[in-house]
């Protein structure tokens, strides 16, 4: 139970902020269904630990979204969902046939949430984005160092989690 009890979110599996956002929504009571790629046959210990944390409280289904049957199942799930969250570069979901227009046709009341590093348009929109890039370009990385030593690499808390996942959840 929680404030989002009765809300269904479909999360397209990814890493970082989208996965963290889904965890936050599940922690607040939403039913979060992760559409995973094919099941991993030999996950590393780190991958298992990360999954145990980030996927807590979530359900999952493995679908091949590049195949028509996988896309049909995804659209059926989205037909009964309140929201979708995804974190691919611009154009990826459209190429899969799961862009906003496709999903809103299946469910006009769906909230389509995108997490991209650099937005949908602009000079960096098709470049992979990472927390350290955002923190460095914003100038916030300056706070992680001292004048007599190189800056330290911060955890992915500022850009990915604080600036990305939490705002997407809201």
């Amino acid at each position: 139970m929680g404030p989002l009890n009765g809300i269904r979110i479909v999360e397209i599996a990814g890493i970082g902020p989208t996965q963290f956002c889904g965890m936050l929504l599940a922690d607040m009571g939403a039913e979060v269904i992760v559409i995973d790629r094919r099941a991993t046959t030999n996950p590393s210990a780190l991958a298992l630990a990360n999954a145990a944390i980030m996927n807590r409280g979530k359900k999952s289904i493995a679908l091949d979204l590049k195949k028509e049957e996988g896309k049909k199942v995804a659209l059926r799930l989205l037909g009964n969902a309140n929201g979708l969250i995804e974190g691919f570069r611009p154009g990826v979901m459209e190429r899969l046939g799961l862009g906003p227009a496709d999903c809103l046709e299946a469910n006009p009341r769906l909230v389509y949430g995108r997490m991209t590093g650099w937005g949908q348009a602009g000079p960096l929109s098709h470049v992979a984005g990472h927390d350290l890039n955002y923190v460095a370009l914003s100038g916030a990385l300056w706070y992680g160092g001292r004048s007599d030593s190189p800056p330290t690499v911060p955890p992915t808390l500022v850009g990915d989690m604080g600036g990305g996942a939490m705002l997407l959840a809201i």
Side-chain angles (χ1 to χ4, degrees), residues 96-108:
L96 291 171
L98 294 168
D102 304 297
C103 294
L104 292 173
E105 187 176 314
N107 181 351

Side-chain angles (χ1 to χ4, degrees), residues 34-166:
V34 180
I35 296 179
D36 278 307
R37 295 178 185 127
R38 287 176 231 110
T40 304
T41 56
N42 192 15
S44 68
L46 181 60
L48 289 171
N50 185 52
I53 294 168
M54 295 291 212
N55 290 331
R56 68 179 183 231
K58 299 178 186 178
K59 298 174 181 177
S60 70
I61 182 171
L63 297 175
D64 186 345
L65 297 177
K66 292 181 179 179
K67 296 204 168 146
E68 194 60 32
E69 187 56 35
K71 183 177 105 172
K72 285 180 183 177
V73 172
L75 287 170
R76 277 197 306 266
L77 278 172
L78 291 166
N80 294 315
N82 300 96
L84 164 77
I85 56 175
E86 60 97 351
F88 294 118
R89 292 183 199 175
V92 171
M93 290 292 281
E94 285 79 359
R95 284 192 300 277
L96 291 171
L98 294 168
D102 304 297
C103 294
L104 292 173
E105 187 176 314
N107 181 351
R109 64 187 190 346
L110 183 75
V111 175
Y112 196 107
R114 290 192 132 150
M115 174 60 55
T116 61
W118 305 107
Q120 296 299 304
L124 296 175
S125 63
H126 294 296
V127 176
H130 304 285
D131 188 88
L132 188 56
N133 303 128
Y134 318 132
V135 177
L137 286 174
S138 72
L141 186 59
W142 178 84
Y143 292 102
R146 300 186 331 234
S147 61
D148 62 343
S149 66
T152 58
V153 177
T156 61
L157 300 176
V158 179
D160 278 352
M161 305 314 174
M166 289 175 55

